[in-house]
Amino acid sequence: MNNEMTYQVFSLNPDPRVAFLDDVDENVPDYRKLTKGFRLKGSIPESTTFTLSEEGGDMLCDFVENTSGTLIVSTRAREALEAEGVTGDDFEYLPVTLKDKRGRALKSRFYIVNPLQKVECMDRERSKFSAYEDEVLSVQRLVVRQEKVPAELKLFRLGEWPQVIVIRSDLVQRLQEAQLTGLFVVGPGEKFT
């Protein structure tokens, strides 16, 4: 792996024009299992529906912003991720339907991306996090110990706190080159929400 690779974290897109979802946790059975990276195929029905928030903008992106920190992508983004090796037994793509602000189902298909692989790789000296005894309760800034991450892994959950989804910089670059919209990440040590 190239030494110039870095690991970044998905974060909230601050652009007020971006449409977002605020009902993901309410509409996903076993939502807490989803945030921890458990296999959910079969327990999230294809009829699962989310509605765009009235408070959000009107720009629906390939990476769908949401207040739950769940990775939700368009078919185009799914295809780009799969083309870059984000596929196989370490990932689930769970189909969902989005509705516009008026409650009408969109024709396009969207997917929850559920990375199942968790890697304990947080640099505890350089990251900012809250913990009780040895259990991490939240992470505000993340620096990854690169030597702990398998060389082929481009997208995974942070083992110490699986709510955080980590993406390698070369994958970010490929997704940007594919002109996918809505992708917002922060670099090593930067604050994220």
Side-chain angles (χ1 to χ4, degrees), residues 58 87 146 162:
D58 293 322
T87 187
Q146 294 188 27

Side-chain angles (χ1 to χ4, degrees), residues 16-179:
R17 300 171 299 164
V18 171
F20 71 89
L21 306 168
D22 59 10
D23 62 349
V24 174
D25 54 343
E26 300 164 19
N27 291 306
V28 171
D30 296 326
Y31 173 73
R32 293 185 61 67
K33 286 184 179 177
L34 174 64
T35 65
K36 296 186 185 302
F38 289 101
R39 191 170 300 281
L40 291 174
K41 189 170 187 161
S43 68
I44 295 182
E46 287 198 29
S47 59
T48 300
T49 303
F50 308 129
T51 303
L52 296 173
S53 173
E54 288 288 331
E55 280 106 55
D58 293 322
M59 190 168 69
L60 182 60
C61 298
D62 292 303
F63 286 83
V64 183
E65 188 59 52
N66 63 88
T67 57
S68 301
T70 303
L71 188 52
I72 300 175
V73 300
S74 68
T75 299
R76 208 167 77 94
R78 175 186 175 166
E79 290 167 354
L81 286 166
E82 289 179 326
E84 290 297 322
V86 180
T87 187
D89 289 340
D90 290 331
F91 301 94
E92 290 182 319
Y93 289 92
L94 308 165
V96 294
T97 299
L98 299 190
K99 289 184 177 179
D100 66 18
K101 294 178 183 182
R102 294 185 182 152
R104 296 177 302 207
L106 302 177
K107 292 179 185 170
S108 305
R109 198 58 156 149
F110 291 83
Y111 300 86
I112 294 173
V113 182
N114 185 18
L116 300 171
Q117 195 156 4
K118 302 171 199 85
V119 179
E120 292 201 8
C121 59
M122 182 170 69
D123 183 330
R124 289 179 176 249
E125 302 296 317
R126 296 169 49 209
S127 299
K128 183 176 180 190
F129 62 96
S130 303
Y132 177 72
E133 294 180 357
D134 202 34
E135 181 184 354
V136 174
L137 302 175
S138 69
V139 179
Q140 296 81 40
R141 298 174 199 265
L142 176 66
V143 176
V144 168
R145 293 180 59 201
Q146 294 188 27
E147 72 277 6
K148 297 285 189 182
V149 182
E152 72 283 355
L153 202 54
K154 297 180 182 180
L155 184 75
F156 59 92
R157 290 182 184 274
L158 181 64
E160 292 88 348
W161 201 52
Q163 290 90 326
V164 174
I165 298 175
V166 181
I167 183 170
R168 204 167 71 189
S169 59
D170 60 329
L171 179 55
V172 171
Q173 184 176 346
R174 299 287 183 293
L175 298 173
Q176 290 169 336
E177 288 168 359
Q179 298 182 345

